[in-house]
Amino acid sequence: MNDTRTIIQSYAELGDPHICSDFRDRRSIFAAIYEALVRRDPRTGEYIGSLAESWACAEDACTWTFQLRQRVRFHNDDRLTAADAVASLQRVCDPALGGELGTQGVYLSYLDGARFEAVGLNTLRIVTAQPLADLLDLLVDMPIVPRRVLAGLPGIAVGSGPYRLGQLGVGRLVLEAFDSYWGAAPTVKRLTWLAEADVARRAERVLGGIADIAANLNSLQVTRLTAAGLQCPQKLSGLCVIVMLNCAAGPCSDRRVRQALNYATNVPALIQDVLQGAAEPLNGPLTRLHYAYDPATPPYSHDPVLARQLLAEAGYPHGLKLTLNIPTTHPDESIELAQQLAEQWAEAGIDLLVATHPDRPAYADMVRAKQIGDACLFDSSPLSSVRVLHEKIHSGRRGPWWQGYQNPDVDALIDQAGATIDHEHRQMIYRQAYRRIRDDAPWVFLYSPLLSYGLGQNAANWKPGRDGLIRFS
């Protein structure tokens, strides 16, 4: 076993593992310390056992039974039982639990009214109030911690994962291999996480031998490291960079206007000019890493003539003016991207006014409050298909990021999929919904960025998994 690896990224803190978070840097740390009932296979994305070694779902798509592993111990030496799972899941659904960038109450919206029951020492039963065939899609992000810790013992950084907390400081976190881990021993004994917000400084730490892996590099830093002979692997992210459109009021409430905006957008040019090619174009609301993605759906082509025609049919023969709200971070390329969009849309007769918002949490609250004006630039980050479709698309749920889009047929398909336990049949139903969402164009579908990493000599053989997280187990 090699001794240590040092990872540098924008974030190196613990935080609360039960708060819904799509922040990849945080999730990489959590993946080392905590485990959920199930996890995604790092190669295929299929669900495989973690703390649960098997599970079954009843025909009603409401009643789930999980058999837990019997030789799992937490970092405080407590033995895993179904009561620990019950306590953790109940806390995840606590309405008093906070959120991150507007995610408060997300899990409760799916599991409100659910019953979590310990049926014996190692058997857990979950009964949801409504059919939820995609429950695993949610459980994968719900860590199980000892109920004694939740009852008030100091510190919540106690999981069952391959690493346990060693040292914690400002911008620095050290994890030590957990000797009593139930699974295969981790390949590295010690992980040191360093925080550095500046991407150029992250690259410098790798060049200087201070860090072994730098996360979230841009194309400039990738060029810099590869010129020095270092490896910079890339991985498709589950992130969708999109323009959310106000489907409830204003010009974008007209389907033809929304389609026109997609035809007015030259996505391949945006990818090349803004991201130097480090992205894949979207053909709808999800990436090819998502379960509900439909590979047969065609992306919108760049056709400003057709865009003008659609605008004229919608009552705007001389074009129209729109306001686009953008944050300055997440996505970090927002300002340049908005400038390019303004130039592209002008070809179709669209005069774009860009309003910039530097306070990212306040921006998320504005979007959640559905105060986006005509449109807003946003990043749709969950790798969970059910979360994207319910929180952003389904008009019956009217979730935190829903912006007025309504199609009863789409809602019905999403609901039908949620009640269908057969994996392939459920995926087929989702793909039907996917194609209709693409045609209705509630968003301008832009791209999914590639994740770029910089590797020092000590990490030359490391590769990112399918979810893009940094793991050594």
Side-chain angles (χ1 to χ4, degrees):
M1 178 186 290
N2 295 320
D3 287 336
T4 187
R5 292 292 184 276
T6 299
I7 303 105
I8 190 162
Q9 54 186 29
S10 62
Y11 177 96
E13 300 176 21
L14 279 178
D16 190 322
H18 287 154
I19 286 178
C20 180
S21 174
D22 299 314
F23 188 21
R24 191 177 302 102
D25 288 356
R26 175 181 289 188
R27 290 163 63 88
S28 287
I29 295 173
F30 283 175
I33 301 174
Y34 305 104
E35 294 176 301
L37 295 172
V38 296
R39 64 188 179 95
R40 291 187 179 94
D41 186 294
R43 295 164 297 178
T44 67
E46 298 292 331
Y47 292 107
I48 58 177
S50 185
L51 295 183
E53 60 183 359
S54 64
W55 55 88
C57 179
E59 289 294 327
D60 63 3
C62 293
T63 305
W64 291 75
T65 304
F66 296 84
Q67 297 298 327
L68 305 188
R69 299 185 188 277
Q70 298 186 29
R71 59 188 186 91
V72 175
R73 292 198 175 272
F74 292 105
H75 300 157
N76 66 349
D77 206 38
D78 284 0
R79 178 184 169 187
L80 168 70
T81 69
D84 298 302
V86 168
S88 291
L89 296 175
Q90 287 176 337
R91 184 171 187 269
V92 164
C93 296
D94 187 341
L97 194 66
E100 179 183 79
L101 295 180
T103 62
Q104 57 271 19
V106 163
Y107 291 144
L108 179 62
S109 70
Y110 298 98
L111 296 174
D112 191 18
R115 301 198 313 272
F116 307 107
E117 305 168 349
V119 187
L121 190 63
N122 299 107
T123 304
L124 169 70
R125 179 180 298 142
I126 300 176
V127 183
T128 60
Q130 302 294 331
L132 190 53
D134 294 290
L135 179 63
L136 301 184
D137 214 23
L138 304 174
L139 292 181
V140 70
D141 291 322
M142 299 180 183
I144 306 302
V145 301
R147 64 189 184 282
R148 285 204 307 145
V149 170
L150 297 180
L153 292 180
I156 198 171
V158 179
S160 61
Y163 292 91
R164 63 190 306 170
L165 180 62
Q167 303 172 21
L168 180 61
V170 178
R172 186 174 184 270
L173 178 70
V174 178
L175 304 181
E176 306 284 351
F178 179 39
D179 292 337
S180 298
Y181 182 55
W182 62 270
T187 57
V188 175
K189 183 176 182 180
R190 180 181 296 105
L191 300 179
T192 299
W193 302 81
L194 302 178
E196 175 52 69
D198 186 86
V199 63
R201 292 195 183 100
R202 291 202 294 272
E204 288 173 4
R205 299 300 187 272
V206 174
L207 285 169
I210 297 172
D212 300 304
I213 300 177
N216 303 320
L217 296 183
N218 58 27
S219 58
L220 179 62
Q221 303 309 321
V222 167
T223 300
R224 184 181 177 193
L225 293 185
T226 53
L230 297 180
Q231 298 179 32
C232 292
Q234 292 183 314
K235 191 73 177 177
L236 178 67
S237 71
L239 182 74
C240 295
V241 176
I242 57 175
V243 176
M244 282 183 165
L245 303 175
N246 185 347
C247 300
C252 296
S253 62
D254 191 309
R255 181 176 186 256
R256 293 165 296 187
V257 172
R258 301 195 302 266
Q259 290 178 334
L261 293 174
N262 276 279
Y263 283 118
T265 306
N266 188 339
V267 175
L270 291 176
I271 292 173
Q272 189 58 46
D273 295 343
V274 178
L275 296 176
Q276 290 70 55
E280 287 190 4
L282 297 175
N283 68 346
L286 300 169
T287 75
R288 59 182 172 88
L289 298 182
H290 287 82
Y291 166 64
Y293 169 79
D294 179 31
T297 296
Y300 279 90
S301 59
H302 178 225
D303 193 337
V305 174
L306 179 55
R308 283 182 179 271
Q309 178 182 328
L310 287 166
L311 290 177
E313 292 175 4
Y316 304 98
H318 305 297
L320 79 163
K321 293 184 178 181
L322 292 177
T323 298
L324 174 65
N325 291 286
I326 69 167
T328 55
T329 59
H330 302 300
D332 295 344
E333 70 274 14
S334 294
I335 293 176
E336 184 179 359
L337 177 57
Q339 293 171 344
Q340 295 280 343
L341 283 173
E343 294 177 8
Q344 291 185 5
W345 290 3
E347 296 181 38
I350 301 163
D351 184 8
L352 188 64
L353 173 66
V354 177
T356 304
H357 301 261
D359 187 334
R360 190 59 174 82
Y363 184 80
D365 290 339
M366 179 191 77
V367 177
R368 186 181 175 112
K370 312 189 193 314
Q371 298 173 348
I372 67 170
D374 295 318
C376 71
L377 187 63
F378 208 67
D379 51 359
S380 177
S381 51
L383 193 54
S384 161
S385 294
V386 68
R387 281 193 55 201
V388 174
L389 297 176
H390 283 79
E391 294 166 28
K392 298 180 172 74
I393 298 297
H394 197 296
S395 65
R397 284 186 171 268
R398 304 195 173 201
W401 315 117
W402 176 79
Q403 300 299 331
Y405 169 65
Q406 297 191 54
N407 184 325
D409 292 337
V410 169
D411 291 348
L413 287 168
I414 294 173
D415 291 340
Q416 182 185 354
T420 303
I421 62 174
D422 181 81
H423 177 85
E424 293 184 1
H425 188 200
R426 185 166 74 256
Q427 187 177 54
M428 180 188 69
I429 297 169
Y430 273 135
R431 288 179 173 180
Q432 294 178 43
Y434 189 92
R435 290 189 285 272
R436 299 190 187 197
I437 295 166
R438 179 269 185 197
D439 292 344
D440 285 343
W443 309 339
V444 178
F445 307 112
L446 298 180
Y447 52 76
S448 177
L450 300 181
L451 303 174
S452 298
Y453 309 81
L455 307 184
Q457 297 296 341
N458 203 31
N461 295 323
W462 180 84
K463 295 180 180 179
R466 193 173 187 272
D467 56 9
L469 300 186
I470 295 176
R471 304 175 188 267
F472 288 90
S473 60

